[in-house]
Amino acid sequence: MSAPYEEITDATEGKVYTVSGNDWTELVETLTGQQDEQLVVNMGPQHPSTHGVLRLVLNLDGETVTEARTVIGYLHTGIEKNMEFRTWTQGTTFVTRMDYLAPIFNETAYCLGVEKLLGITDRVPERAQAIRVMMMELTRISSHMVAIGTFGMELGATTPFLFGSREREMVLDVMEYITGLRMNMAYIRPGGVSVDLPAGAVDKVGELLKIMPQRIKDMRKMLDANPVYLARTKDVAYLDLTGCMALGITGPMLRAAGLPWDLRKSQPYCGYETYEFDVPTERTADVYGRYLVRMAEMEQSLKIIEQALDRLSGPLKGDRVMVDDKKIGWPAQLALGPDGLGNSPDHIAHIMSGSMEALIHHFKLVTEGFRVPAGQAFASVESPRGELGAHVVSDGGTRPYRVHFRDPSFTNLQAVPATCEGGMVADVISAVASIDPVMGGVDR
Amino acid sequence: MSSDNLPGVPEEPIARTGMFGATGTGDTSGYGRLVVRRKPELSTPRPYGGYFDTVADELERALGAELADAVERVVVDRGELTFHVRRERLVEVARTLRDDPALRFELSLGVSGVHYPHLEGEELHAVIHLCSITHNKRLRLEVSCPDADPHIPSTVSVYPTHDWHERETWDFFGIVFDGHPALTRIMMPDDWDGHPQRKDYPLGGIPVEYRGAEIPAPDQRRSYS
């Protein structure tokens, strides 16, 4: 018979039991009657409820968590470093991969920063702004749906996850129709968006607007007053306003603590000041409050999408979607050809047989990129998880000198010890899920 | 620049020469002698415009005569206000900004590092973005330290959220935040050598150890073509 564990070693902290596989019963038998009061448990980095590769080191006294330490970095991909070696436009392809549940927000924060440096913030066409708003709010719905769905699954209910995934899939279909990709679409570009809405996109979003309210209601019916759900979420992971401020928490967690702080209202960008919507808040400062805020935010997002859609199909129809500056705007209007999305046939005809200067211009702008005046700027957007800020530094060249992202997941994860210590080990799951961290954004 | 009829231009600092940043290659464009100078670093003169004057006035009132000693330069650029703070006074300035009722910058958006190898004596910068929810205002604090003495006092005592942000900046830039409760690496493995976001650190080209075996850097691997 093999040894019950892979390894038992003596460390300064005490005995270390490495368990991997189906030998939990044996571990319990061995530990029963041991005098150790403290049990240190590694939760993750490969644990289904840690939203990717988050590792929690929990000191347990019985079932009570006495100390919770968070270990991150398992998904670090060096996006910020890589961006320094690509052009400003290529940067969008990197940042879209950070917080992979809300790619449009990453792109928008980055592009707003670059536009600030270029000094073209006011010259971005209104149609591009309205498309950005619509795409951001669609993404907010899909992101919240995943947040609530996975949350349900982590508490042991699979139906919310299936519902959430189904709803997210609807949004992703729309994304695919508009941008050509479901995720990581690099759609928002410095100066506007990469391509105008294709024919039929307005109808597609309109369809979603018809179905989604009922779907949100279904989710509410399932969870709002579910006694099991309430027992697992009410008064769990309490973090009040003072705690939020000290730890720099933003987003639904802050609004669930009662502060109606939403950058779309307080420091509007992309023309959010012209849209009508509310900022939902709760006063409970617990997991259930955060859930309610997310649900209400999705309903508000639908309102914003509706307004944006009215503008896109009405007064802004046929408008430009890229800044009217040939030295910055991508030279080609992209078009869907038989072999996928690419340069439009008109543009190719123009540069290949019409104008030598246009060919040179296209070549220079695409290979070398545009220059951005030296300086630094900070632009932030209200992502589904909180304030997503981009600190963009230029030295006057065609590549970013330094780009740093203040990702809300990264900052909000610091609340794990504050919300988990002193609570039950089972509540760690709901606490982490209510933060809704996306490790791609945390580690970048 | 010896001719008398040319306008006087500052000799330093030079940002780049040539048109495309090419060195040693045949730049046949005729722009090889182009010299682009970097703007000297100056303080923005008053008035700053917008609410920036109010913030500066209030900070001056709160700090009194200390202000001239604490704040080296004030820069207003692209609609953003930056205070360049001397590192010795950073904690004091941050605490004033947070606690003074007229300032109340209660939310910090973290610390970001920037490495400027060409700025002698202030190569490493830590940039702090602050936000006042009470007054709906924003400002930026910039602190620098030389590469030879990469120490900046920690502001975790003022903004607890800086805990991870300062660890990240230490990890990537090697800035030591004195007084941080546990300044350890956060993104890179604990035994990693070097600080990857610095400009003297290459992109790629680092062999990686995985489960005891060393995986060579991409450019050192065998090629099968």
Side-chain angles (χ1 to χ4, degrees):
Chain A
M1 201 186 126
S2 62
Y5 323 105
E6 268 187 0
E7 227 178 340
I8 306 178
T9 44
D10 279 309
T12 40
E13 299 86 8
K15 270 201 169 62
V16 176
Y17 305 87
T18 308
V19 188
S20 60
N22 300 321
D23 41 15
W24 288 97
T25 342
E26 293 171 47
L27 176 76
V28 173
E29 277 165 19
T30 314
L31 286 179
T32 313
Q34 291 258 347
Q35 294 306 306
D36 288 343
E37 294 288 321
Q38 284 275 338
L39 184 63
V40 184
V41 171
N42 260 302
M43 192 172 126
Q46 302 291 341
H47 188 276
S49 78
T50 54
H51 291 235
V53 280
L54 168 68
R55 178 174 155 214
L56 295 166
V57 184
L58 304 173
N59 281 22
L60 301 180
D61 184 3
E63 277 207 66
T64 311
V65 179
T66 52
E67 200 183 333
R69 280 166 290 172
T70 329
V71 185
I72 61 168
Y74 294 94
L75 206 56
H76 177 59
T77 44
I79 283 177
E80 289 173 2
K81 178 83 174 174
N82 270 292
M83 286 172 76
E84 294 169 12
F85 294 82
R86 296 283 185 277
T87 66
W88 290 94
T89 309
Q90 285 171 325
T92 48
T93 323
F94 277 109
V95 299
T96 191
R97 281 158 173 77
M98 297 188 318
D99 182 343
Y100 43 78
L101 288 184
I104 292 282
F105 289 93
N106 305 333
E107 296 167 21
T108 312
Y110 169 70
C111 289
L112 288 176
V114 177
E115 283 159 11
K116 220 177 199 181
L117 281 177
L118 285 165
I120 57 166
T121 309
D122 299 329
R123 286 162 56 201
V124 178
E126 267 186 59
R127 185 173 170 83
Q129 301 282 34
I131 293 177
R132 284 179 182 182
V133 167
M134 185 184 82
M135 297 298 274
M136 277 195 280
E137 295 309 321
L138 282 170
T139 311
R140 190 183 311 276
I141 293 176
S142 79
S143 173
H144 279 349
M145 275 297 178
V146 175
I148 292 163
T150 52
F151 186 24
M153 188 172 66
E154 282 150 20
L155 297 185
T158 45
T159 322
F161 181 68
L162 294 177
F163 275 29
S165 300
R166 183 186 62 184
E167 270 62 291
R168 173 176 186 243
E169 209 58 25
M170 275 173 57
V171 177
L172 292 188
D173 282 347
V174 172
M175 294 282 172
E176 187 183 9
Y177 192 80
I178 294 175
T179 69
L181 293 163
R182 287 153 51 84
M183 293 167 75
N184 304 338
M185 49 282 268
Y187 181 62
I188 316 281
R189 301 281 174 89
V193 297
S194 71
V195 60
D196 200 357
L197 299 179
V202 171
D203 298 338
K204 261 223 162 314
V205 180
E207 238 169 74
L208 182 133
L209 280 180
K210 264 188 223 131
I211 301 170
M212 199 52 96
Q214 185 55 45
R215 295 283 171 88
I216 294 175
K217 260 184 218 150
D218 288 350
M219 191 70 110
R220 273 189 180 278
K221 246 187 238 168
M222 193 157 46
L223 294 175
D224 266 10
N226 184 329
V228 181
Y229 188 70
L230 288 178
R232 292 295 305 273
T233 58
K234 272 222 151 159
D235 301 326
V236 169
Y238 181 86
L239 189 68
D240 64 1
L241 192 53
T242 321
C244 285
M245 273 298 109
L247 293 169
I249 310 288
T250 47
M253 278 184 93
L254 180 61
R255 291 191 281 277
L259 188 72
W261 178 255
D262 189 321
L263 291 176
R264 295 175 293 171
K265 278 278 186 219
S266 55
Q267 294 168 6
Y269 49 91
C270 291
Y272 265 112
E273 65 275 17
T274 59
Y275 294 85
E276 208 178 289
F277 64 99
D278 299 326
V279 178
T281 53
E282 291 292 328
R283 306 190 131 267
T284 52
D286 60 0
V287 176
Y288 185 62
R290 288 163 209 157
Y291 156 77
L292 286 180
V293 167
R294 289 202 175 92
M295 290 309 279
E297 275 185 18
M298 287 197 283
E299 288 156 356
Q300 296 300 322
S301 289
L302 287 175
K303 262 170 76 178
I304 301 175
I305 297 170
E306 207 175 328
Q307 294 169 49
L309 206 59
D310 283 347
R311 294 179 197 185
L312 288 170
S313 57
L316 298 178
K317 203 172 179 178
D319 209 356
R320 305 177 56 87
V321 294
M322 185 49 96
V323 65
D324 188 15
D325 186 334
K326 293 254 189 254
K327 292 286 171 206
I328 295 168
W330 201 248
Q333 177 64 268
L334 300 178
L336 197 65
D339 54 348
L341 196 69
N343 292 332
S344 73
D346 290 346
H347 178 72
I348 292 179
H350 179 57
I351 61 170
M352 297 313 285
S353 53
S355 161
M356 184 61 169
E357 287 70 31
L359 177 65
I360 295 172
H361 180 250
H362 179 116
F363 181 73
K364 291 279 285 176
L365 201 55
V366 172
T367 57
E368 192 184 295
F370 49 79
R371 287 192 189 283
V372 173
Q376 56 180 337
F378 187 79
S380 41
V381 299
E382 186 72 31
S383 95
R385 277 159 273 286
E387 175 164 355
L388 174 69
H391 177 220
V392 189
V393 186
S394 171
D395 66 342
T398 56
R399 294 163 178 188
Y401 190 73
R402 161 96 169 121
V403 183
H404 173 74
F405 280 87
R406 186 263 183 209
D407 194 274
S409 304
F410 177 81
T411 311
N412 293 1
L413 256 188
Q414 295 188 86
V416 167
T419 52
C420 294
E421 287 177 1
M424 290 293 168
V425 66
D427 290 341
V428 173
I429 311 288
S430 14
V432 172
S434 77
I435 294 173
D436 185 22
V438 174
M439 298 315 287
V442 173
D443 294 342
R444 284 154 293 152
Chain B
M1 294 291 166
S2 57
S3 182
D4 287 342
N5 63 348
L6 287 173
V9 283
E11 291 297 314
E12 292 291 328
I14 292 173
R16 66 188 158 87
T17 54
M19 196 172 181
F20 305 117
T23 51
T25 58
D27 179 5
T28 55
S29 63
Y31 287 97
R33 286 164 64 200
L34 181 77
V35 176
V36 178
R37 283 169 212 289
R38 188 177 292 114
K39 267 190 278 180
E41 287 177 335
L42 299 172
S43 226
T44 310
R46 292 257 200 164
Y48 305 138
Y51 60 77
F52 298 158
D53 288 293
T54 328
V55 173
D57 288 343
E58 293 297 345
L59 188 65
E60 205 170 340
R61 178 193 52 74
L63 285 177
E66 311 270 300
L67 182 86
D69 183 45
V71 178
E72 290 172 324
R73 297 191 289 132
V74 183
V75 177
V76 176
D77 185 29
R78 284 151 172 117
E80 292 178 349
L81 174 67
T82 311
F83 286 112
H84 288 257
V85 182
R86 273 188 42 201
R87 53 178 169 166
E88 294 82 7
R89 315 301 290 270
L90 173 66
V91 179
E92 183 191 341
V93 171
R95 180 160 285 132
T96 311
L97 285 169
R98 185 193 69 175
D99 290 343
D100 194 272
L103 294 163
R104 283 258 192 271
F105 285 86
E106 60 271 270
L107 178 67
S108 169
L109 300 167
V111 185
S112 155
V114 191
H115 185 209
Y116 298 100
H118 56 269
L119 297 180
E120 236 166 273
E122 43 172 314
E123 286 93 346
L124 295 165
H125 285 225
V127 186
I128 301 169
H129 290 95
L130 299 179
C131 178
S132 164
I133 289 180
T134 313
H135 304 297
N136 201 11
K137 286 172 183 167
R138 274 176 193 272
L139 72 80
R140 175 189 294 131
L141 296 181
E142 196 159 338
V143 201
S144 66
C145 62
D147 223 352
D149 176 33
H151 289 269
I152 288 176
S154 166
T155 39
V156 172
S157 56
V158 185
Y159 295 108
T161 177
H162 282 185
D163 183 351
W164 283 16
H165 289 273
E166 285 180 357
R167 280 176 65 191
E168 192 187 350
T169 312
W170 146 252
D171 194 354
F172 286 151
F173 291 91
I175 300 176
V176 181
F177 289 92
D178 295 322
H180 187 284
L183 196 67
T184 51
R185 288 190 183 269
I186 189 164
M187 291 297 175
M188 306 304 287
D190 290 342
D191 55 352
W192 193 262
D193 285 330
H195 301 281
Q197 286 273 5
R198 294 167 57 100
K199 290 287 172 188
D200 50 15
Y201 194 97
L203 179 72
I206 308 286
V208 179
E209 190 188 303
Y210 182 67
R211 297 206 165 186
E214 194 172 277
I215 315 293
D219 53 339
Q220 302 293 318
R221 287 179 202 160
R222 271 175 295 179
S223 114
Y224 296 95
S225 58

